[in-house]
Amino acid sequence: MSTQTFHLPDVGEGLTEAEIVQWRVAPGDAVAVNDVLVEIETAKSLVELPSPFAGTVGELLAPEGETVTVGAPIITIAGAASEPNAAAGRSEHGEPAAASVEGEGAVLVGYGTGAGATSRRKRPAERTETVRASVGVVAKPPVRKLARDLGVTLSDVTPSGPAGEVTRDDVVRHAEQASVFRNIATPDAPAERERTIAVAPASAPATSAPRPVPEAVEGREETIPVKGVRKATSSAMVRSAYTAPHVSVWTDVDATRTMELVKRLKASPDLADVRISPLLIVARAVIWAARRTPTINSAWIDREDGTAEIRVRNYVNLGIAAATPRGLLVPNIKDAQDLSMRELAKALEKLTLTARAGKTTPADQQGGTITITNIGVFGMDAGTPIINPGESAIVAMGTIRQKPWVVDGEVRPRFVTTVSGSFDHRVIDGDGVSRFVADVASILEEPALLLD
């Protein structure tokens, strides 16, 4: 009986490592080609890896929570047979050839470094438990794992996610409340004033270092591992902040006519099936203003010979910063300059729903040219955001609220907002920055200019 070893692939992102989030199989399970073996988290997305082999699961070579390098062995399948040309099968050279992104069914081709790559573990360990999900409860695998680590039954947790899902905060809150109840019920129990919880994965050998998880009881501090999206975001922000010299500007805007337009668009029968918000007008304003100041939509490129160039893009892949349960993501709308008002509204709606559902793919986040961050949804007036790497500008949209505003010599209540942004001063000078922000502001003050 032959045994095949499945190695962690490079799922088409050019990444070097991923975390084992949740095994979908256990030793002894029978699997067919394309059955999902494991869910991994890269720096950009959650990805399901399908089996290129049919057979019986032998050994799980990496526990949940472990970060392994591309090309490292992660599972063996005994009596394995592969199917040629399967979606998750093998390449013409006999290597496994695909992985599917959660919720998208997409095929990502490419396997990594091959022989010689090793995980960060000292030796493989067999998993001894089968993953059990709470029936009827919607929660992402990392949330389910946190619940298991904290001893929380997901069906007992009140969900607060936009789609009715249980979030990480819901689990932590439930654990804290349960802890308080236990302390009240047993007042004589000693209480620790400061501690760090560390839980080793069930499949880890006794010599493995304990893996910390967030504090969820009475302790005054917590430890959160930096990995996945948070690790990628922090690296990108440091690189951007200390590579591109940032300059930030802002201006207050009377957005009353924008709010009037939003109200009219919401009432339009042609847009009845589309979610309309002020962000739609801001997006159109940024696209319009970028056309008038093309260097805003550029990138600074360092060449291998030590020289540099500014690459001006004649298209707009409009990034929208999205706060998700996994962290900050910046998916972008490709060729946004070619979209009608309705098409752009649909694209914004799809982008938002996909991000909230945790289904944003790596391709959705690549190739952005300019970004909008809508800090107004958090009640903020203005900010000095960090530029998304590979771009030269990011626009921050503040909250829109009624304020006293002078109109024709009289103080009147108007809807006022603040447009702010940060720019790469290597690419854009002060006059270009000011002209661009003034153009965005002028559209918000008078959206009819978009008809020009």
Side-chain angles (χ1 to χ4, degrees), residues 315-326:
Y315 58 93
V316 176
N317 288 348
L318 184 64
I320 305 294
T324 75
R326 294 180 57 239

Side-chain angles (χ1 to χ4, degrees), residues 375-433:
I375 60 176
V377 297
F378 305 113
M380 298 295 101
D381 292 324
T384 55
I386 296 177
I387 302 165
N388 201 33
E391 302 174 14
S392 295
I394 180 170
V395 178
M397 185 65 192
T399 187
I400 302 175
R401 57 166 61 97
Q402 282 197 320
K403 293 181 179 180
W405 193 263
V406 177
V407 180
D408 297 330
E410 297 181 359
V411 177
R412 301 178 185 176
R414 305 288 284 182
F415 284 101
V416 178
T417 188
T418 301
V419 178
S420 57
S422 298
F423 308 87
D424 187 341
H425 215 329
R426 297 173 301 176
V427 177
I428 312 158
D429 294 328
D431 62 334
V433 168

Side-chain angles (χ1 to χ4, degrees), residues 113-202:
T113 56
T118 58
S119 75
R120 295 180 181 177
R121 305 174 64 245
K122 292 184 178 180
R123 56 173 295 174
E126 181 173 302
R127 182 171 179 256
T128 58
E129 65 174 5
T130 301
V131 175
R132 296 179 177 85
S134 299
V135 178
V137 178
V138 180
K140 294 182 174 61
V143 175
R144 293 185 183 278
K145 185 175 188 307
L146 176 62
R148 291 197 302 273
D149 290 341
L150 299 180
V152 171
T153 302
L154 280 175
S155 58
D156 294 338
V157 179
T158 302
S160 66
E165 74 273 17
V166 175
T167 68
R168 175 188 177 280
D169 289 342
D170 295 335
V171 173
V172 172
R173 187 181 306 110
H174 183 89
E176 289 174 342
Q177 292 172 347
S179 174
V180 170
F181 177 79
R182 287 194 298 270
N183 289 339
I184 293 175
T186 56
D188 297 331
E192 301 178 20
R193 293 182 55 83
E194 179 177 338
R195 67 175 183 154
T196 299
I197 293 179
V199 179

